[in-house]
Amino acid sequence: MPSARGEHDNPAPPRPSTGWAWLLAAWAVALVSTFAALFIGEVMGMAPCQLCWYQRILMFPLVVILGMAAFGNDRRGAIYAMPLVLGGVVVAAYHSALIAGWVPQWWIPCGSGPSCSDQRLVILGDIQIPWLSLLAFAVIVALLLVYLRKTRS
Amino acid sequence: MNTKKLAVGGILMLVIAAFVAGMSFYRKQTQTAQDQTVRTEQTRLVRIHSPVLGPQSAPVTIVEFFDPACETCRAFYPIVKNLMAKYPQDVRLVIRYAPFHQGSDQVVKLLEAAKRQGKYQQVLEAVLQAQPTWADHGRPNPDLTFEIAKAAGLDIERAREDMARPEMQALLAQDVEDLTALQVKQTPTFFVNGRSLPSFGPDQLAALLAEEVAKARR
């Protein structure tokens, strides 16, 4: 696609006319997850364990990346977010497997701070926080895949 | 501004507003729950062994859950002292121990040994004064407090003997049991005649104290 400035590559961001709602939904999931994590950590005072920190590291930037992408209707944001989201799925899946007892305990990469396989990672009765994290990352992957497919040129 | 930008901004505002509302709701709820616990567990606030500063029979009692290694407890010591000086007849301070830091239990025993020698306040003030030297978070060195207490006039040989007594351990265990039951999680935690602070801070403590003193004087 030749641009107005006559360059060979395309400097203008791709702004698809459809599918934006999927991108917005992915961002909204990341936003709610981030604030929920902050609520559990800062307001309820549950100290994040090491694996929780890695999931936070992968989740928090999504609010910015997907937020900017949704704000400017920029398809590239969904692609740039992908490595973070996929990393998040891996860490959250490992963490969920750990609390389910599917992974041997001695594998836990825990230093100081609360133990990662500890039962204190439970809110609202007995919902495990790592499950929620896995769910959030998986939903974001699904939404972004639908978005990318719908907006493929 | 197109609708896409408005939608992103609107959702952001909504989630932030929900966070703030949830925060104030959660805090209010935990405080109500704690106040209720404190009401049903009144007897846990003050124990016979608890050190008391100020007039023994004062109508207003500040209970402070205190850790000698806690920086904020150190910062609050002069604040509480000033408040007590403001109401010399009406307020007493009961100190309960919350040895949350590593090595704090040993310093608590030293303070209790100082109480047996009638040098509680001197040693307490000296230990707090020198807190940065012995309560470093990376490398706490509670043994330094022996020197500090000695300089404050404590008979260290006698204090060491007293610290080894089983009742010292029992006293510490009682305080830890009480703070767990009262859901005390941070130091310092203050209760003024059994009421907790609406939010943590010196001004809130002063206001609550003024309220209780006014009530007692009526």
Side-chain angles (χ1 to χ4, degrees), chain A residues 49-103:
Chain A
C49 75
Q50 204 165 349
L51 279 174
C52 306
W53 267 116
Y54 290 129
Q55 288 161 74
R56 287 169 154 226
I57 288 164
L58 295 164
M59 179 64 83
F60 291 1
L62 293 178
V63 174
V64 179
I65 296 173
L66 294 177
M68 285 171 75
F71 191 78
N73 189 23
D74 186 344
R75 186 176 186 272
R76 293 174 303 183
I79 298 164
Y80 297 156
M82 250 335 160
L84 292 170
V85 190
L86 292 176
V89 169
V90 171
V91 179
Y94 173 64
H95 198 177
S96 299
L98 195 68
I99 56 165
W102 298 338
V103 183

Side-chain angles (χ1 to χ4, degrees), chain B residues 68-69 103-112 127 134 142 145 163:
Chain B
S104 286
D105 48 345
Q106 185 186 320
V107 181
V108 166
K109 287 181 184 170
L110 181 70
L111 291 174
E112 282 297 313
V127 163
W134 62 267
T145 54
M163 285 167 71

